[in-house]
Amino acid sequence: MAEDKPTRKIVAETDVPYPVEQVWRAITDSEYIALWFMKNDLKPEFGHKFTFRSRPIERWDGEFSCQVLDVEDNQKISYTWKGGHEELKGFGHFIDTIATWTLTPNADGTTHVVFEHDGFDTAEEADGCFEAMSKGSASILRTLNKMMPDFVEEWATGS
């Protein structure tokens, strides 16, 4: 992520009615991430390089190259998020950002989830990407909340 030019950040947050340990598993286990977000090969280990696989657009293959920057079990995971293509005009060609998930236990046993995606270009040509990713961030939190009961049931039954 370039530090020398102005950037913008997406912040999305929600409360998930499950304990931190269960939400942590849902946001760091590659198998479960693929069910509510994107196919991937994430491992929550410092320095691990992985790929998110999205739907291809125009000449872009739909892949985001990522690397884990920080991991604090059951609290925070942060990673780089890079992708795009020179011909991907509607989305500003490329992104080079940092995504951070922060989990905080609430007093009632639920979990407060904050997803921050920082480093988006402020150029007008990047507005489409920023808007799509902003909507997507809110959507993935809704999907995570919706799928958590299925995950918890599966973990309880050992399926």
Side-chain angles (χ1 to χ4, degrees):
M1 185 171 83
E3 297 295 329
D4 56 345
K5 61 181 180 178
T7 60
R8 51 190 159 174
K9 175 175 28 176
I10 297 165
V11 179
E13 50 191 303
T14 191
D15 287 309
V16 179
Y18 293 93
V20 165
E21 297 78 16
Q22 291 177 334
V23 178
W24 178 256
R25 184 172 180 186
I27 69 166
T28 61
D29 183 306
S30 177
E31 178 184 337
Y32 290 97
I33 297 167
L35 296 173
W36 63 269
F37 191 25
M38 282 188 267
K39 292 180 180 176
N40 68 93
D41 55 346
L42 170 69
K43 291 181 185 171
E45 300 167 359
F46 176 78
H48 175 70
K49 293 181 180 180
F50 66 99
T51 304
F52 276 132
R53 291 169 190 82
S54 183
R55 180 178 49 86
I57 302 171
E58 297 174 25
R59 293 182 182 247
W60 174 56
D61 61 7
E63 293 190 354
F64 293 104
S65 299
C66 305
Q67 183 172 11
V68 177
L69 300 173
D70 188 20
V71 180
E72 297 173 37
D73 284 346
N74 296 317
Q75 295 176 38
K76 182 170 104 174
I77 185 165
S78 179
Y79 41 81
T80 60
W81 184 315
K82 301 177 183 185
H85 189 278
E86 63 188 32
E87 293 184 26
L88 195 58
K89 296 179 181 93
F91 285 153
H93 307 290
F94 296 97
I95 66 168
D96 183 357
T97 57
I98 295 176
T100 303
W101 293 88
T102 306
L103 306 182
T104 307
N106 292 320
D108 63 359
T110 63
T111 303
H112 187 71
V113 178
V114 178
F115 175 69
E116 296 179 68
H117 201 162
D118 195 8
F120 288 92
D121 195 325
T122 58
E124 187 176 326
E125 68 178 8
D127 286 351
C129 178
F130 185 77
E131 290 170 18
M133 296 289 255
S134 293
K135 289 177 186 171
S137 296
S139 177
I140 62 170
L141 290 180
R142 284 191 304 273
T143 303
L144 173 63
N145 244 324
K146 181 179 175 184
M147 298 204 59
M148 280 300 298
D150 294 335
F151 298 161
V152 171
E153 181 179 335
E154 184 173 314
W155 299 331
T157 62
S159 301

